[in-house]
Amino acid sequence: MRRTLLDRAIGYVSPEAGARRAAARIRMDLADQLPGVLASAGGHVSTSGQDSFLRRWKAAPRSAKADTLKDLPGLRGQSRDLYRNHPLAHSAIRTSVARAIGTGLALSPQPHAKTLGMTPEQAAEWSAETAAEFSLWADSKECDWYGDLTFYQQQDLVTMTRMVSGDGFTVLPDGRPTATQPYALRLQVLEADRVGNPGGLPDTDLISGGIRRAADGGLVTGIHVYDTHPGDRLKALRYAGQWYEPVGPSGRHRILHHFVKERPEQPRGVPYLAPVIALFKLLGDYTDAEIKAAITNSWLTLIIETESGNASPVFGLQGNDPQAGGPTVIKAGEPQGPQAPGPADLEMGPGHVLSLARGETAKPVIPTRPNTAFAAFVEAVLDQLGAGTHQGRELLVKRFSTSYTAARAAFLDAWTHYRAVRMQTVIDFCQPVYETWLAEAVILGRIRAPGFFRDPRIRWAYTRALWFGDSQGSLNPKDEVTAFRDAIDAGLCSHERAEWELFGTDFNATYPTKLAEQRRMKADGFVKPQRAGAAAQQQDTSGGNGDNGNGGTV
């Protein structure tokens, strides 16, 4: 550190003050050098204090509650508006739901045979009976509290609500059994706005966003549901409601919360479009402005220059109104005006020659639209939107113009997102609903499950299930079917899994039909055409090549 003249003067008058000043100067020099030292050592330093642009970036380390709950009402409104009115935002959500849920996720009971003491045949028989009984309830609109949707249609609604609004809720009340529906279980899907703090009170440590937790901040002990949607009535009437326990004393689900938890202690979900809401909105405004500018520039415009510099009322009021679609009338000569005498009116048209007054010059306005940079700019924005929605640009805009390999890679990457959306619906909707229904079926005696209420492990063994949806589709069916066939032959995959992945159908449901077809064709003497190469492959497998079986494929 180099001492200045002032430093030396202070040190001469007061050595102690001079020493303190020198120490402070040394500390300041070290602080200036610290970022470089840490960077060279591999450390991380905030650059907000060094960069004039980053100093404007105010990002406080707040809790999940503070970061989300205050902004949720605005985010929900913006997300819903984009879904209704923005084609690409609508595509992002609708494509995710269509790919993840499609026609609905089908139940495939998977009882744990070893725990239940079942043989594989007994387990398969129990699964088939349970699946058929579940369809009695799930295929009917009577499972819906409103009587509008089947269980599979409600899967679509729940997933859509979760993605558009950030989260949603399903109440599981008991209805009244009917002649066609022996089960009392009903499903009532609610929007995110229907859950909030009682009386609209501020959040506290125990109650936030309508979610009440135990005194230690652990398990959810209650969810407060308003009687009506807050946006339906006056503010004074919107806060009445009641508490619901997520799980009753018997273990029965009472209300389900559908949301993706991205941070510890996060009480409510955030809309799927939240990271790209602003980008979607700005792109929509930009596109709208460009389209309107192109339309405006397509109209013929003339600028009249005069010697005097005074504006000349060239467009007279006589003739047809150009805004009504008629020809534009230009009056030549003076004076101008709707009733003023003068030469005959001249109308614009193809190949017309216009006569203007002396000193007046007509100059056309050269259109600057369409904007030649529009497509390239939008493509760059779409790349960001594709990444932000986890689907890629191709799936977002439904345009596949790249190579097969690139398109396949993009689709497989997007499929991981769709599978995650599907799994979330299975975890927070399908499986708990199935468990609640199965408990009622056992109570009614319509499904036999000894020990179901006696031992939690036995109950778990009965309620295990897989939920299969529509297949991902195929870009090259021949190669993909061959790959699955080889995986089955090698013992790496089951027929059930292959059929779900390839066609989205249940092997157990289609097996009786396929078996009946085989028996019928055999009885009628129908021989299927031999597949090319199958005979040679069979010969090699049996040990051909004249080696007495020693050179065959094992």
Coordinates of all heavy atoms in Angstrom, one line a residue, residues 93-172:
I93 N -49.6 -26.6 -23.4 CA -50.3 -27.3 -22.4 C -51.1 -28.4 -23.0 O -51.1 -29.5 -22.4 CB -51.2 -26.3 -21.6 CG1 -50.3 -25.3 -20.9 CG2 -52.1 -27.0 -20.6 CD1 -51.1 -24.2 -20.1
R94 N -51.8 -28.2 -24.0 CA -52.7 -29.2 -24.6 C -51.9 -30.4 -25.1 O -52.3 -31.5 -24.9 CB -53.5 -28.6 -25.8 CG -54.6 -29.4 -26.4 CD -55.7 -29.7 -25.4 NE -55.6 -31.0 -24.7 CZ -56.5 -31.4 -23.8 NH1 -57.5 -30.7 -23.5 NH2 -56.3 -32.6 -23.3
T95 N -50.7 -30.1 -25.7 CA -49.9 -31.2 -26.2 C -49.4 -32.1 -25.0 O -49.3 -33.3 -25.1 CB -48.7 -30.7 -27.0 OG1 -49.2 -29.9 -28.1 CG2 -47.8 -31.8 -27.5
S96 N -49.0 -31.4 -23.9 CA -48.5 -32.1 -22.7 C -49.6 -33.0 -22.2 O -49.3 -34.2 -21.9 CB -48.0 -31.1 -21.7 OG -46.9 -30.4 -22.1
V97 N -50.8 -32.5 -22.1 CA -51.9 -33.3 -21.5 C -52.3 -34.4 -22.5 O -52.5 -35.6 -22.1 CB -53.1 -32.4 -21.2 CG1 -54.3 -33.3 -20.7 CG2 -52.7 -31.4 -20.2
A98 N -52.3 -34.1 -23.8 CA -52.7 -35.1 -24.8 C -51.7 -36.3 -24.8 O -52.1 -37.4 -24.9 CB -52.9 -34.5 -26.1
R99 N -50.4 -35.9 -24.8 CA -49.4 -37.0 -24.8 C -49.3 -37.8 -23.5 O -49.1 -39.0 -23.5 CB -48.0 -36.3 -25.1 CG -47.9 -35.8 -26.5 CD -47.7 -37.0 -27.5 NE -47.4 -36.6 -28.8 CZ -47.2 -37.4 -29.8 NH1 -47.3 -38.7 -29.6 NH2 -47.0 -37.0 -31.1
A100 N -49.5 -37.1 -22.4 CA -49.4 -37.8 -21.1 C -50.6 -38.6 -20.7 O -50.5 -39.7 -20.2 CB -49.1 -36.7 -20.0
I101 N -51.8 -38.0 -21.0 CA -53.0 -38.7 -20.6 C -53.7 -39.3 -21.8 O -54.2 -40.5 -21.7 CB -53.9 -37.7 -19.9 CG1 -53.2 -37.0 -18.7 CG2 -55.2 -38.4 -19.3 CD1 -52.6 -37.9 -17.7
G102 N -53.9 -38.6 -22.8 CA -54.5 -39.1 -24.0 C -56.0 -39.6 -23.7 O -56.8 -38.8 -23.2
T103 N -56.3 -40.8 -24.1 CA -57.6 -41.3 -23.8 C -57.8 -41.8 -22.4 O -58.9 -42.3 -22.1 CB -57.9 -42.5 -24.8 OG1 -56.8 -43.5 -24.6 CG2 -57.9 -42.0 -26.2
G104 N -56.8 -41.7 -21.6 CA -56.9 -42.1 -20.2 C -55.9 -43.2 -19.8 O -55.5 -43.9 -20.6
L105 N -55.5 -43.1 -18.5 CA -54.6 -44.1 -18.0 C -55.4 -45.3 -17.4 O -56.3 -45.2 -16.6 CB -53.8 -43.5 -16.9 CG -53.0 -42.2 -17.2 CD1 -52.2 -41.7 -16.1 CD2 -52.2 -42.4 -18.5
A106 N -55.1 -46.5 -18.0 CA -55.9 -47.7 -17.6 C -55.2 -48.4 -16.4 O -54.0 -48.5 -16.3 CB -55.9 -48.6 -18.8
L107 N -56.1 -49.0 -15.6 CA -55.6 -49.7 -14.4 C -55.1 -51.1 -14.8 O -55.8 -51.8 -15.5 CB -56.7 -49.8 -13.4 CG -56.5 -50.7 -12.2 CD1 -55.4 -50.2 -11.3 CD2 -57.8 -50.9 -11.4
S108 N -54.0 -51.5 -14.2 CA -53.5 -52.8 -14.3 C -53.1 -53.3 -12.9 O -52.0 -53.0 -12.4 CB -52.3 -53.0 -15.2 OG -51.8 -54.3 -15.3
P109 N -54.0 -53.9 -12.1 CA -53.7 -54.3 -10.7 C -52.5 -55.3 -10.7 O -52.3 -56.2 -11.6 CB -54.9 -55.1 -10.3 CG -56.0 -54.5 -11.2 CD -55.4 -54.3 -12.5
Q110 N -51.6 -55.0 -9.8 CA -50.4 -55.8 -9.6 C -50.2 -56.3 -8.2 O -49.3 -55.8 -7.5 CB -49.1 -55.0 -10.1 CG -49.2 -54.5 -11.5 CD -49.0 -55.5 -12.5 OE1 -48.1 -56.4 -12.3 NE2 -49.7 -55.5 -13.6
P111 N -51.1 -57.2 -7.7 CA -50.9 -57.6 -6.3 C -49.6 -58.3 -6.1 O -49.1 -59.0 -7.0 CB -52.1 -58.6 -6.2 CG -52.4 -59.1 -7.6 CD -52.1 -57.9 -8.5
H112 N -49.1 -58.1 -4.9 CA -47.8 -58.8 -4.5 C -48.1 -60.2 -4.1 O -48.4 -60.5 -3.0 CB -47.1 -58.0 -3.4 CG -45.7 -58.3 -3.3 ND1 -45.2 -59.2 -2.4 CD2 -44.6 -57.8 -3.9 CE1 -43.9 -59.2 -2.4 NE2 -43.5 -58.4 -3.4
A113 N -47.9 -61.1 -5.1 CA -48.4 -62.5 -4.8 C -47.6 -63.1 -3.7 O -48.3 -63.9 -2.9 CB -48.1 -63.3 -6.1
K114 N -46.4 -62.9 -3.5 CA -45.6 -63.5 -2.4 C -46.2 -63.1 -1.0 O -46.3 -64.0 -0.1 CB -44.1 -63.2 -2.5 CG -43.3 -63.9 -1.5 CD -41.8 -63.6 -1.7 CE -40.9 -64.3 -0.7 NZ -39.5 -64.0 -0.9
T115 N -46.4 -61.8 -0.9 CA -47.0 -61.4 0.4 C -48.4 -61.9 0.7 O -48.7 -62.3 1.8 CB -47.1 -59.8 0.4 OG1 -45.8 -59.3 0.3 CG2 -47.7 -59.3 1.7
L116 N -49.2 -62.1 -0.4 CA -50.5 -62.5 -0.2 C -50.7 -64.0 -0.3 O -51.8 -64.6 -0.1 CB -51.4 -61.9 -1.3 CG -51.5 -60.4 -1.3 CD1 -52.3 -59.9 -2.5 CD2 -52.1 -59.9 -0.1
G117 N -49.6 -64.7 -0.5 CA -49.6 -66.2 -0.6 C -50.4 -66.7 -1.8 O -51.0 -67.8 -1.8
M118 N -50.3 -66.0 -2.9 CA -51.0 -66.4 -4.2 C -50.0 -67.0 -5.1 O -48.8 -66.7 -5.2 CB -51.6 -65.1 -4.8 CG -52.8 -64.5 -4.1 SD -53.4 -63.1 -5.1 CE -54.8 -62.6 -4.1
T119 N -50.5 -67.9 -5.9 CA -49.8 -68.4 -7.1 C -49.9 -67.3 -8.2 O -50.8 -66.5 -8.2 CB -50.3 -69.7 -7.6 OG1 -51.7 -69.5 -8.0 CG2 -50.3 -70.7 -6.4
P120 N -49.0 -67.4 -9.2 CA -49.1 -66.4 -10.3 C -50.5 -66.5 -11.0 O -51.0 -65.5 -11.4 CB -48.0 -66.8 -11.3 CG -47.0 -67.5 -10.4 CD -47.8 -68.2 -9.3
E121 N -51.1 -67.7 -11.1 CA -52.4 -67.9 -11.7 C -53.4 -67.2 -10.9 O -54.3 -66.5 -11.4 CB -52.7 -69.3 -12.0 CG -51.8 -70.0 -13.0 CD -50.4 -70.3 -12.5 OE1 -50.2 -70.3 -11.2 OE2 -49.5 -70.6 -13.3
Q122 N -53.4 -67.4 -9.6 CA -54.4 -66.8 -8.7 C -54.2 -65.2 -8.7 O -55.3 -64.5 -8.7 CB -54.2 -67.3 -7.3 CG -54.6 -68.7 -7.1 CD -54.2 -69.3 -5.7 OE1 -53.2 -68.8 -5.1 NE2 -54.9 -70.2 -5.2
A123 N -53.0 -64.7 -8.7 CA -52.8 -63.3 -8.8 C -53.4 -62.7 -10.1 O -54.0 -61.7 -10.1 CB -51.3 -63.0 -8.7
A124 N -53.2 -63.4 -11.2 CA -53.7 -62.9 -12.5 C -55.2 -63.0 -12.5 O -55.8 -62.0 -13.0 CB -53.1 -63.8 -13.6
E125 N -55.8 -64.0 -11.9 CA -57.3 -64.1 -11.8 C -57.8 -62.9 -11.0 O -58.8 -62.3 -11.3 CB -57.7 -65.4 -11.3 CG -59.2 -65.6 -11.3 CD -59.6 -67.0 -10.7 OE1 -58.7 -67.8 -10.5 OE2 -60.8 -67.3 -10.5
W126 N -57.2 -62.7 -9.8 CA -57.6 -61.6 -8.9 C -57.5 -60.2 -9.7 O -58.4 -59.4 -9.5 CB -56.8 -61.6 -7.6 CG -57.3 -60.6 -6.6 CD1 -58.3 -60.9 -5.6 CD2 -57.0 -59.3 -6.5 NE1 -58.5 -59.8 -4.9 CE2 -57.7 -58.7 -5.4 CE3 -56.1 -58.4 -7.1 CZ2 -57.6 -57.4 -4.9 CZ3 -56.0 -57.1 -6.7 CH2 -56.7 -56.6 -5.6
S127 N -56.4 -60.0 -10.4 CA -56.2 -58.8 -11.1 C -57.3 -58.6 -12.2 O -57.8 -57.5 -12.3 CB -54.8 -58.8 -11.8 OG -53.8 -58.9 -10.8
A128 N -57.6 -59.6 -12.9 CA -58.6 -59.5 -13.9 C -60.0 -59.2 -13.4 O -60.7 -58.3 -13.9 CB -58.7 -60.8 -14.8
E129 N -60.3 -59.8 -12.3 CA -61.6 -59.5 -11.6 C -61.7 -58.1 -11.1 O -62.7 -57.4 -11.2 CB -61.9 -60.6 -10.5 CG -63.1 -60.3 -9.7 CD -64.4 -60.4 -10.5 OE1 -64.4 -61.1 -11.6 OE2 -65.4 -59.8 -10.1
T130 N -60.6 -57.7 -10.4 CA -60.6 -56.3 -9.9 C -60.6 -55.3 -10.9 O -61.3 -54.3 -10.8 CB -59.3 -56.2 -9.0 OG1 -59.2 -57.2 -8.0 CG2 -59.2 -54.8 -8.4
A131 N -59.9 -55.5 -12.0 CA -59.9 -54.5 -13.1 C -61.3 -54.4 -13.7 O -61.8 -53.3 -14.1 CB -58.9 -54.9 -14.2
A132 N -62.0 -55.5 -13.9 CA -63.4 -55.5 -14.4 C -64.3 -54.8 -13.5 O -65.2 -54.0 -13.9 CB -63.9 -56.9 -14.7
E133 N -64.2 -55.0 -12.2 CA -65.0 -54.3 -11.2 C -64.8 -52.8 -11.1 O -65.7 -52.0 -11.0 CB -64.8 -55.0 -9.8 CG -65.8 -54.5 -8.7 CD -67.2 -54.9 -8.9 OE1 -67.5 -55.8 -9.7 OE2 -68.1 -54.3 -8.3
F134 N -63.5 -52.5 -11.2 CA -63.1 -51.1 -11.2 C -63.7 -50.3 -12.4 O -64.2 -49.2 -12.3 CB -61.6 -50.9 -11.2 CG -61.2 -49.5 -11.2 CD1 -61.2 -48.7 -10.0 CD2 -60.6 -48.9 -12.3 CE1 -60.8 -47.4 -10.0 CE2 -60.2 -47.5 -12.3 CZ -60.3 -46.8 -11.1
S135 N -63.8 -51.0 -13.6 CA -64.4 -50.4 -14.8 C -65.8 -50.1 -14.6 O -66.4 -49.2 -15.2 CB -64.1 -51.3 -16.0 OG -62.8 -51.5 -16.3
L136 N -66.5 -50.9 -13.8 CA -67.9 -50.7 -13.5 C -68.1 -49.3 -12.9 O -69.1 -48.6 -13.3 CB -68.5 -51.7 -12.5 CG -69.9 -51.5 -11.9 CD1 -70.9 -51.5 -13.0 CD2 -70.2 -52.5 -10.8
W137 N -67.2 -48.9 -12.1 CA -67.2 -47.6 -11.4 C -66.6 -46.5 -12.3 O -67.2 -45.4 -12.5 CB -66.5 -47.6 -10.1 CG -66.5 -46.3 -9.4 CD1 -67.4 -45.7 -8.6 CD2 -65.3 -45.4 -9.4 NE1 -67.0 -44.5 -8.1 CE2 -65.7 -44.3 -8.6 CE3 -64.1 -45.4 -9.9 CZ2 -64.9 -43.2 -8.4 CZ3 -63.2 -44.4 -9.7 CH2 -63.6 -43.3 -8.9
A138 N -65.4 -46.8 -12.9 CA -64.7 -45.7 -13.6 C -65.3 -45.4 -14.9 O -65.1 -44.2 -15.4 CB -63.2 -46.2 -13.8
D139 N -65.9 -46.3 -15.6 CA -66.5 -46.1 -16.9 C -67.8 -45.2 -16.9 O -68.2 -44.7 -17.9 CB -66.8 -47.4 -17.7 CG -65.5 -48.1 -18.0 OD1 -64.4 -47.5 -17.9 OD2 -65.6 -49.3 -18.4
S140 N -68.3 -45.1 -15.7 CA -69.6 -44.4 -15.6 C -69.4 -43.0 -15.1 O -68.5 -42.6 -14.3 CB -70.5 -45.1 -14.5 OG -71.6 -44.4 -14.2
K141 N -70.2 -42.1 -15.7 CA -70.2 -40.7 -15.2 C -70.7 -40.5 -13.8 O -70.6 -39.4 -13.3 CB -71.0 -39.8 -16.2 CG -70.3 -39.7 -17.6 CD -71.1 -38.7 -18.5 CE -70.4 -38.6 -19.9 NZ -71.1 -37.6 -20.7
E142 N -71.3 -41.5 -13.3 CA -71.8 -41.4 -11.9 C -70.7 -41.4 -10.9 O -70.9 -41.0 -9.7 CB -72.7 -42.6 -11.6 CG -74.0 -42.6 -12.4 CD -74.9 -43.8 -12.0 OE1 -74.7 -44.9 -12.6 OE2 -75.7 -43.6 -11.1
C143 N -69.4 -41.6 -11.3 CA -68.3 -41.5 -10.4 C -68.0 -40.0 -10.2 O -67.3 -39.7 -9.2 CB -67.1 -42.2 -10.9 SG -66.3 -41.5 -12.4
D144 N -68.5 -39.1 -11.0 CA -68.2 -37.7 -10.9 C -69.3 -37.1 -10.1 O -70.5 -37.3 -10.3 CB -68.2 -37.1 -12.4 CG -67.9 -35.6 -12.4 OD1 -67.6 -35.1 -11.3 OD2 -68.1 -35.0 -13.4
W145 N -68.9 -36.2 -9.2 CA -69.9 -35.5 -8.3 C -70.9 -34.7 -9.1 O -72.1 -34.6 -8.8 CB -69.2 -34.6 -7.3 CG -70.1 -33.9 -6.4 CD1 -70.4 -32.5 -6.5 CD2 -70.7 -34.3 -5.2 NE1 -71.2 -32.2 -5.5 CE2 -71.4 -33.3 -4.6 CE3 -70.7 -35.6 -4.5 CZ2 -72.1 -33.4 -3.5 CZ3 -71.4 -35.7 -3.4 CH2 -72.1 -34.6 -2.8
Y146 N -70.4 -34.1 -10.2 CA -71.3 -33.3 -11.1 C -72.0 -34.2 -12.1 O -72.9 -33.7 -12.9 CB -70.5 -32.3 -11.8 CG -69.7 -31.4 -10.8 CD1 -68.3 -31.5 -10.6 CD2 -70.4 -30.4 -10.1 CE1 -67.7 -30.7 -9.7 CE2 -69.7 -29.5 -9.2 CZ -68.3 -29.7 -9.0 OH -67.7 -28.9 -8.2
G147 N -71.6 -35.4 -12.3 CA -72.2 -36.3 -13.3 C -71.9 -36.0 -14.7 O -72.6 -36.3 -15.6
D148 N -70.7 -35.4 -14.9 CA -70.3 -34.9 -16.3 C -69.3 -35.8 -16.9 O -69.2 -35.9 -18.1 CB -69.8 -33.5 -16.2 CG -70.9 -32.5 -15.8 OD1 -72.1 -32.8 -16.0 OD2 -70.5 -31.5 -15.2
L149 N -68.3 -36.3 -16.1 CA -67.1 -37.0 -16.7 C -66.9 -38.4 -16.1 O -67.3 -38.6 -14.9 CB -65.9 -36.1 -16.4 CG -65.9 -34.7 -16.9 CD1 -64.7 -34.0 -16.4 CD2 -66.0 -34.6 -18.4
T150 N -66.3 -39.2 -16.9 CA -65.9 -40.5 -16.4 C -64.6 -40.3 -15.6 O -64.0 -39.2 -15.7 CB -65.7 -41.5 -17.5 OG1 -64.6 -41.1 -18.3 CG2 -66.9 -41.6 -18.4
F151 N -64.1 -41.4 -15.0 CA -62.8 -41.3 -14.3 C -61.7 -40.9 -15.2 O -60.8 -40.2 -14.9 CB -62.6 -42.6 -13.6 CG -61.2 -42.7 -12.9 CD1 -60.9 -41.9 -11.9 CD2 -60.3 -43.6 -13.4 CE1 -59.6 -42.0 -11.3 CE2 -59.0 -43.7 -12.8 CZ -58.7 -42.9 -11.7
Y152 N -61.7 -41.5 -16.4 CA -60.6 -41.2 -17.4 C -60.7 -39.8 -17.9 O -59.6 -39.2 -18.2 CB -60.7 -42.2 -18.5 CG -60.8 -43.7 -18.0 CD1 -61.9 -44.4 -18.0 CD2 -59.6 -44.3 -17.5 CE1 -62.0 -45.7 -17.5 CE2 -59.6 -45.5 -17.0 CZ -60.8 -46.2 -17.0 OH -60.9 -47.5 -16.4
Q153 N -61.8 -39.2 -18.1 CA -62.0 -37.8 -18.5 C -61.5 -36.9 -17.3 O -61.0 -35.8 -17.6 CB -63.4 -37.5 -18.9 CG -63.8 -38.2 -20.2 CD -65.3 -38.0 -20.5 OE1 -66.1 -38.2 -19.6 NE2 -65.6 -37.6 -21.7
Q154 N -61.8 -37.3 -16.1 CA -61.3 -36.5 -15.0 C -59.8 -36.5 -14.9 O -59.2 -35.5 -14.4 CB -61.9 -37.0 -13.7 CG -63.4 -36.8 -13.6 CD -64.1 -37.3 -12.4 OE1 -64.0 -36.7 -11.3 NE2 -64.7 -38.5 -12.5
Q155 N -59.1 -37.6 -15.3 CA -57.7 -37.5 -15.4 C -57.2 -36.4 -16.2 O -56.2 -35.7 -15.9 CB -57.1 -38.9 -15.9 CG -57.4 -40.1 -15.1 CD -57.0 -41.4 -15.7 OE1 -56.4 -41.4 -16.8 NE2 -57.4 -42.5 -15.2
D156 N -57.8 -36.2 -17.4 CA -57.5 -35.1 -18.3 C -57.7 -33.8 -17.6 O -56.9 -32.8 -17.6 CB -58.3 -35.2 -19.6 CG -57.9 -34.2 -20.6 OD1 -58.3 -33.0 -20.4 OD2 -57.2 -34.5 -21.6
L157 N -58.9 -33.6 -16.9 CA -59.2 -32.4 -16.3 C -58.3 -32.1 -15.1 O -57.8 -30.9 -15.0 CB -60.6 -32.5 -15.7 CG -61.2 -31.3 -14.9 CD1 -61.2 -30.0 -15.8 CD2 -62.5 -31.5 -14.4
V158 N -57.9 -33.1 -14.3 CA -57.0 -32.8 -13.2 C -55.6 -32.4 -13.7 O -55.0 -31.4 -13.2 CB -56.9 -34.1 -12.4 CG1 -55.7 -34.0 -11.4 CG2 -58.1 -34.3 -11.5
T159 N -55.1 -33.1 -14.7 CA -53.8 -32.7 -15.3 C -53.8 -31.3 -15.9 O -52.9 -30.5 -15.7 CB -53.4 -33.7 -16.3 OG1 -53.5 -35.0 -15.8 CG2 -51.9 -33.5 -16.8
M160 N -54.9 -31.0 -16.6 CA -55.0 -29.7 -17.2 C -55.1 -28.6 -16.1 O -54.4 -27.5 -16.2 CB -56.3 -29.6 -18.1 CG -56.5 -28.3 -18.8 SD -55.4 -28.1 -20.1 CE -55.9 -29.4 -21.2
T161 N -55.8 -28.8 -15.1 CA -56.0 -27.8 -14.0 C -54.6 -27.6 -13.3 O -54.2 -26.5 -13.0 CB -57.0 -28.3 -13.0 OG1 -58.3 -28.5 -13.6 CG2 -57.1 -27.4 -11.8
R162 N -53.9 -28.7 -13.1 CA -52.6 -28.6 -12.4 C -51.6 -27.8 -13.3 O -50.8 -27.0 -12.8 CB -52.0 -30.0 -12.2 CG -50.7 -30.0 -11.4 CD -50.2 -31.3 -11.1 NE -49.6 -32.0 -12.4 CZ -50.1 -33.1 -12.9 NH1 -51.0 -33.8 -12.3 NH2 -49.5 -33.6 -14.0
M163 N -51.6 -28.0 -14.6 CA -50.6 -27.3 -15.5 C -51.0 -25.8 -15.7 O -50.2 -24.9 -15.7 CB -50.5 -28.0 -16.8 CG -50.0 -29.5 -16.7 SD -49.5 -30.2 -18.2 CE -48.0 -29.4 -18.5
V164 N -52.3 -25.5 -15.9 CA -52.7 -24.2 -16.1 C -52.7 -23.3 -14.9 O -52.2 -22.2 -14.9 CB -54.2 -24.2 -16.7 CG1 -54.7 -22.7 -16.9 CG2 -54.2 -24.9 -18.1
S165 N -53.2 -23.8 -13.8 CA -53.3 -23.0 -12.5 C -52.2 -23.3 -11.5 O -52.1 -22.6 -10.5 CB -54.7 -23.3 -11.9 OG -55.7 -23.0 -12.8
G166 N -51.4 -24.3 -11.8 CA -50.3 -24.6 -10.8 C -50.7 -25.7 -9.9 O -49.8 -26.5 -9.5
D167 N -51.9 -25.8 -9.5 CA -52.4 -26.9 -8.7 C -53.9 -27.0 -8.7 O -54.6 -26.1 -9.3 CB -51.9 -26.8 -7.2 CG -52.3 -25.6 -6.5 OD1 -53.1 -24.8 -7.1 OD2 -52.0 -25.4 -5.3
G168 N -54.4 -28.0 -8.2 CA -55.8 -28.3 -8.1 C -56.1 -29.2 -7.0 O -55.2 -29.8 -6.4
F169 N -57.4 -29.5 -6.7 CA -57.8 -30.3 -5.6 C -59.0 -31.2 -6.1 O -59.8 -30.8 -6.9 CB -58.2 -29.5 -4.4 CG -57.1 -28.6 -3.9 CD1 -56.9 -27.3 -4.4 CD2 -56.4 -29.0 -2.8 CE1 -55.9 -26.5 -3.9 CE2 -55.4 -28.2 -2.3 CZ -55.1 -27.0 -2.9
T170 N -59.1 -32.4 -5.4 CA -60.2 -33.3 -5.6 C -60.7 -33.7 -4.3 O -60.0 -34.3 -3.5 CB -59.7 -34.5 -6.5 OG1 -59.3 -34.1 -7.7 CG2 -60.9 -35.5 -6.6
V171 N -62.0 -33.4 -4.1 CA -62.6 -33.9 -2.8 C -63.3 -35.2 -3.2 O -63.8 -35.5 -4.3 CB -63.7 -32.9 -2.4 CG1 -64.4 -33.3 -1.1 CG2 -63.1 -31.5 -2.2
L172 N -63.2 -36.2 -2.2 CA -63.7 -37.5 -2.4 C -65.0 -37.7 -1.5 O -64.9 -38.4 -0.4 CB -62.7 -38.6 -2.1 CG -61.6 -38.8 -3.1 CD1 -60.7 -37.6 -3.2 CD2 -60.8 -40.0 -2.8

